[in-house]
Amino acid sequence: RLANAVTPLWRLPYQEQLQVKYESQRKILQTLASRLEELGIDAQKPGGLCCPLQPVVPSPIINGYRNKSTFSVNRGPDGNPKTVGLYVGTGRERNIVCVKANHVENIPSKHKQVAQCYEEFICRSPLDSCILFHEGGHWRELVVRTTSCGHTMAIITFHPQELGQEALATQKALLKEFFTCGPGAVCALTSLYFQESTMTRCSHEQSPYQLLHGAPHIFEDLLGLKFRISPDAFFQVNTAGAEVLYQAVGELCQATGDTVLLDICCGTGTIGLSLAHRVSKVIGVEVVEKAIEDAEWNAAFNGISNCEFHTGKAEAVLPQLLASWEDARPLVAVVNPSRAGLHYRVVRAIRSCRSIRRLLYISCKPEGEAMRNFLELCCPPDPRKKLAGEPFAPVLAIPFDMFPHTVHCELVLLFTR
């Protein structure tokens, strides 16, 4: 049941998985074409698509490709309330159970090993797991990040409840001892982090990640560059797939030596930095402060001097940045937002900036909020929504299989005007 929930396509041969994904992306482009027709835009291309769709680009690695896994702590099928794994069931049906992920094919063995050790640690602990905040308990989720350089970072979330600083210090010392001198030492962690959190999700600014052991960062090699990764920084979960994706993005940008690349939702700067040698300047925008610190370090370490990075919400930073844009150089935008898509103020700023003639939208869920963005980019000027400027048109779609065995795809849509 867990394999079917997390990796629904795992039983299919890989070529069949790619075909399933191609069909789902085709339906998305048909939907976009229909929605554009409703707006009075003649968008129907052969097959009822809004633009040509290329075959799904396969992932170079099919099994164990994830470089980041998040494990929950909850009751297992045997009733053990300290099971570390992934969820099966739904809250609505009240049949949630936490199942060990040992057999899930997209998770590497190192992640499974750390999860098993964490379960062993919390089972020894006199403190309860925190299943529902109001019912007490402390031990919560585990995030494991690994890199092709052999680095492993573990981040443990802990609900402090009413514990004082002394009791917290004791728990941190026990965790460190277990993973450095005890049974957890087999994991050979590069970094062990601890975060006290009274919320479901907590940023570093809300509750700092506390380094209990090892180095503050792990490092990844990508397209000949070295990247530093902080606990909460975004990095594509499939590193080998990301290399293929970013190379294609570079070609689709059609960047020349005088191009300025605008990298919106840039994370640790991977896209911009990997393309910096092709362009005159890279401007990155990212909301996560630590990710921008990583991006700046990455630029300096790799000897890249034509990049500037801005911290803040894209909807706050970008309108200011583009409103005063007077640079005559061609401006190409690459956007890689979360599933929530781009804020409408970001779309408005992009449309209003005449210099942007080419836009690459990378979406991990194009049928979701990204669809709203596609329509906002392509619709006729709409004074009610303050959408001015010449509309964009979709000209090419390329899906990348960043998530083998799952139904998800990363879709790159090229828009021009």
Side-chain angles (χ1 to χ4, degrees):
R1 276 181 65 199
L2 179 63
N4 290 341
V6 177
T7 50
L9 305 182
W10 69 280
R11 294 179 192 274
L12 292 180
Y14 189 52
Q15 285 306 314
E16 288 183 33
Q17 292 188 29
L18 295 177
Q19 193 55 39
V20 168
K21 296 189 183 199
Y22 179 82
E23 289 304 319
S24 70
Q25 300 302 306
R26 198 167 66 83
K27 285 176 183 164
I28 289 164
L29 295 186
Q30 284 175 332
T31 302
L32 179 54
S34 300
R35 299 283 298 275
L36 290 171
E37 291 277 326
E38 289 167 14
L39 295 172
I41 301 162
D42 181 18
Q44 294 278 0
K45 301 289 186 293
L49 307 182
C50 63
C51 63
L53 173 64
Q54 291 194 359
V56 181
V57 179
S59 171
I61 298 170
I62 298 165
N63 293 326
Y65 57 84
R66 287 193 69 92
N67 56 40
K68 181 184 179 184
S69 300
T70 302
F71 299 96
S72 300
V73 178
N74 211 312
R75 285 185 186 82
D78 59 356
N80 172 18
K82 291 181 174 179
T83 302
V84 177
L86 306 176
Y87 285 151
V88 169
T90 63
R92 187 183 299 167
E93 308 250 335
R94 298 192 175 182
N95 63 351
I96 285 179
V97 67
C98 194
V99 182
K100 290 186 186 185
N102 296 341
H103 57 292
V104 177
E105 293 190 357
N106 63 349
I107 297 177
S109 56
K110 171 61 83 170
H111 294 201
K112 297 169 184 175
Q113 180 189 45
V114 179
Q116 185 58 48
C117 285
Y118 179 50
E119 181 174 311
E120 186 180 336
F121 173 79
I122 64 175
C123 283
R124 293 178 178 197
S125 172
L127 300 183
D128 292 335
S129 54
C130 177
I131 294 172
L132 294 170
F133 290 3
H134 64 277
E135 289 184 0
H138 300 278
W139 298 112
R140 290 189 50 228
E141 71 180 26
L142 162 76
V143 174
V144 184
R145 303 186 79 150
T146 48
T147 68
S148 58
C149 306
H151 298 166
T152 305
M153 176 187 285
I155 306 153
I156 287 162
T157 311
F158 184 91
H159 197 307
Q161 303 291 358
E162 306 302 319
L163 289 185
Q165 286 306 307
E166 201 174 317
L168 277 167
T170 301
Q171 294 310 314
K172 289 187 263 190
L174 288 169
L175 251 182
K176 179 180 176 180
E177 183 186 10
F178 179 86
F179 277 105
T180 55
C181 315
V186 296
C187 300
L189 295 181
T190 313
S191 313
L192 174 61
Y193 274 99
F194 182 86
Q195 188 187 41
E196 299 162 34
S197 173
T198 57
M199 296 180 278
T200 307
R201 281 279 182 276
C202 209
S203 69
H204 174 78
E205 286 73 30
Q206 291 165 316
S207 179
Y209 291 96
Q210 303 169 47
L211 182 65
L212 302 187
H213 163 73
H217 307 96
I218 54 175
F219 295 87
E220 183 58 284
D221 293 330
L222 188 99
L223 294 174
L225 303 175
K226 189 175 280 292
F227 290 92
R228 184 178 96 169
I229 303 170
S230 293
D232 60 345
F234 171 77
F235 201 90
Q236 285 282 1
V237 298
N238 179 342
T239 305
E243 290 198 309
V244 176
L245 172 66
Y246 296 162
Q247 281 175 315
V249 166
E251 286 157 23
L252 289 168
C253 281
Q254 290 188 354
T256 58
D258 63 342
T259 301
V260 177
L261 180 71
L262 186 57
D263 187 1
I264 303 167
C265 312
C266 68
T268 54
T270 43
I271 294 176
L273 292 169
S274 65
L275 302 181
H277 67 287
R278 297 187 182 207
V279 299
S280 64
K281 187 177 183 180
V282 173
I283 302 171
V285 179
E286 169 61 44
V287 67
V288 178
E289 211 170 301
K290 285 288 178 187
I292 287 292
E293 287 179 22
D294 286 346
E296 288 172 341
W297 185 94
N298 293 335
F301 183 84
N302 291 289
I304 298 169
S305 57
N306 62 337
C307 296
E308 66 178 56
F309 296 100
H310 300 263
T311 309
K313 290 182 177 179
E315 61 267 27
V317 175
L318 206 66
Q320 286 182 312
L321 201 65
L322 295 181
S324 56
W325 192 267
E326 290 177 355
D327 198 314
R329 291 175 291 184
L331 182 60
V332 175
V334 176
V335 301
N336 187 14
S338 66
R339 290 183 178 188
L342 292 173
H343 193 282
Y344 75 92
R345 282 201 204 106
V346 176
V347 177
R348 190 195 296 170
I350 290 169
R351 282 202 41 159
S352 298
C353 182
R354 291 181 185 176
S355 299
I356 301 175
R357 313 302 299 169
R358 201 171 186 84
L359 168 74
L360 278 165
Y361 195 121
I362 305 169
S363 174
C364 58
K365 196 177 181 185
E367 72 277 19
E369 289 301 307
M371 183 66 74
R372 170 179 56 82
N373 290 160
F374 302 157
L375 296 170
E376 289 167 343
L377 286 165
C378 299
C379 71
D382 187 342
R384 288 171 307 152
K385 294 182 181 176
K386 297 182 181 173
L387 284 170
E390 187 187 342
F392 286 85
V395 292
L396 183 65
I398 311 177
F400 290 80
D401 186 22
M402 303 288 280
F403 319 100
H405 307 304
T406 76
V407 295
H408 303 295
C409 233
E410 200 89 5
L411 182 67
V412 176
L413 252 178
L414 171 62
F415 294 91
T416 62
R417 60 177 177 177

